[in-house]
Amino acid sequence: SGRLTGMAKKKALAHVGVLGAGTMGTGIAQLAASAGHAVHVYDTNQGALTRARQQIENVLARLVEKKRMEPEEAAAIEARIEYGAGLESLGASGVIVEAIVEDLSMKRAAFRRLEQIVPEDALLTTNTSSLSVTAIARGCRRPERLLGLHFFNPAPVMPLVEVVPGMLTDPELVSRGQQLVESWGKVAVRAMDTPGFIVNRVARPFYLEALRLLEEGVADAATIDWSLREIGGFRMGPFELMDLIGNDVNYAVSESVFAAFFYDPRFRPSLLQKRMVEAGLLGRKTDRGFYDYDPQAARPEPHRDRELGQGIVDRVLALLINEAADALLLGVASARDLELAMTQGTNYPQGLLAWANQIGLNVVLRRLESLHREYGDDRYRPNPLLRRLVEAGRPFPLDGA
């Protein structure tokens, strides 16, 4: 059956193979080695492997310099990681974490090859953020052994991991994957294999509604950012965050989620952001996005109008809460895991369901109904669960969140 128990399981998990030496693969390799695992990183690009080694050495050197790690510990972590030497070098791995390009055919081909190399009881995982775990597993001889483990960037720092079983994933492997990432000090949440999982689905209105407000001329980017930071309590404003992520990356996720939900208006991407990507205004990495990052450029001042700011926060927050309600209604995750995902994965000031209970579900519903009437756009349609709870006079059930 390929199931492991006792010492056999512990032994198999001792060696971690990481496929892909990009930013995510490098971070995951550092994380696993820091947790005491022997790690082998493989990539077809020798330059990527060289950069991965250098990146890990630089990160560890900074930690030592800041007195957050002893030199001996840094040296031990580096010694646990090997690089390259062919895909067959991953053959001894008890766990594989795939972190290659987000291309379905390439991921399927990689796992087909890996199945021929690794032990029958090895745990195969994909770090996909936008593809279906079920669809990737379709390429496997034994699709039941593939699990999604979605880490967030930078993997050694961000606490959240979304654990995503495909439709055929063996439940025991789901538990194994969750226990593994928790042993690495991560907060694990379980998500259904639906587009965007939890975070990239529920967080879409934070970007999309902010873009809509900018397109309508309700306020400029600096004012919207100020409103959501200073009044809403978010760590970063949406335009600051899109510039940090990269407008090309953020737009691609929006486009992917929109298509995957059969073009539901709730996830319609922004034409303004599309034009910015076409113009090469990608954010910090190109020195210009919604803001100009030239050292000589002056940062625009927001209009510190608290009444306007509160309206911006109320509108964006209503859409976020509506999306969290939809995820809860459809069983994407438990209420507890939804709350954890948004506080640990995106640093929201509090979970959206608890926030809705605090505001009052009737207030949130009225805001959505007003927007729906004004625009006639289904992006604002209130979720049935929200309406049912209001009619019953009940809050969102938080089941221990």
Coordinates of all heavy atoms in Angstrom, one line a residue, residues 63 73 100 189 208 247 267 310 323 387:
L63 N 22.0 36.3 8.6 CA 21.5 35.9 9.9 C 22.6 35.8 11.0 O 22.4 36.2 12.1 CB 20.8 34.5 9.8 CG 19.5 34.6 9.0 CD1 18.9 33.1 8.8 CD2 18.4 35.4 9.7
E73 N 25.8 26.7 13.1 CA 24.4 26.3 12.6 C 24.3 26.6 11.2 O 23.8 25.8 10.4 CB 23.3 27.0 13.4 CG 21.9 26.6 13.0 CD 20.8 27.3 13.8 OE1 21.1 28.1 14.7 OE2 19.7 27.1 13.4
I100 N 8.8 24.0 -10.0 CA 9.2 24.5 -11.3 C 8.2 25.5 -11.8 O 7.2 25.8 -11.1 CB 9.4 23.3 -12.2 CG1 8.1 22.5 -12.5 CG2 10.5 22.4 -11.7 CD1 8.3 21.5 -13.6
V189 N -2.8 25.0 6.8 CA -4.3 25.1 6.6 C -4.6 24.2 5.4 O -3.9 24.1 4.5 CB -4.8 26.5 6.3 CG1 -4.6 27.4 7.6 CG2 -4.1 27.1 5.1
L208 N -8.6 44.0 -6.8 CA -9.6 44.3 -7.8 C -10.5 45.4 -7.5 O -10.8 46.3 -8.4 CB -10.4 43.0 -8.2 CG -9.6 41.9 -8.8 CD1 -10.5 40.7 -9.0 CD2 -8.9 42.3 -10.1
N247 N 3.2 43.9 -11.0 CA 1.9 44.0 -11.7 C 1.7 42.8 -12.7 O 0.5 42.4 -12.9 CB 1.7 45.3 -12.3 CG 1.3 46.4 -11.4 OD1 0.3 46.3 -10.7 ND2 2.1 47.4 -11.2
F267 N -14.4 38.0 -10.2 CA -12.9 37.9 -10.4 C -12.4 38.6 -11.7 O -11.3 38.4 -12.1 CB -12.5 36.4 -10.4 CG -12.9 35.7 -9.2 CD1 -14.0 34.8 -9.3 CD2 -12.3 35.9 -8.0 CE1 -14.4 34.0 -8.1 CE2 -12.7 35.2 -6.9 CZ -13.7 34.3 -6.9
Q310 N -12.8 56.0 5.0 CA -13.6 55.0 5.7 C -14.5 54.4 4.6 O -14.8 53.2 4.6 CB -14.5 55.6 6.8 CG -15.3 54.6 7.6 CD -14.4 53.7 8.4 OE1 -13.6 54.1 9.2 NE2 -14.5 52.4 8.1
E323 N -16.3 37.3 -0.2 CA -15.5 36.2 -0.8 C -15.2 35.1 0.2 O -15.2 33.9 -0.1 CB -14.2 36.7 -1.4 CG -13.6 35.9 -2.5 CD -14.7 35.5 -3.5 OE1 -15.3 36.3 -4.1 OE2 -14.8 34.2 -3.7
R387 N -26.5 36.2 3.6 CA -27.9 36.5 3.6 C -28.7 35.6 4.6 O -29.5 36.1 5.4 CB -28.6 36.5 2.3 CG -29.9 37.2 2.1 CD -30.5 37.0 0.8 NE -29.7 37.7 -0.3 CZ -29.7 39.0 -0.5 NH1 -30.5 39.8 0.2 NH2 -29.0 39.5 -1.5

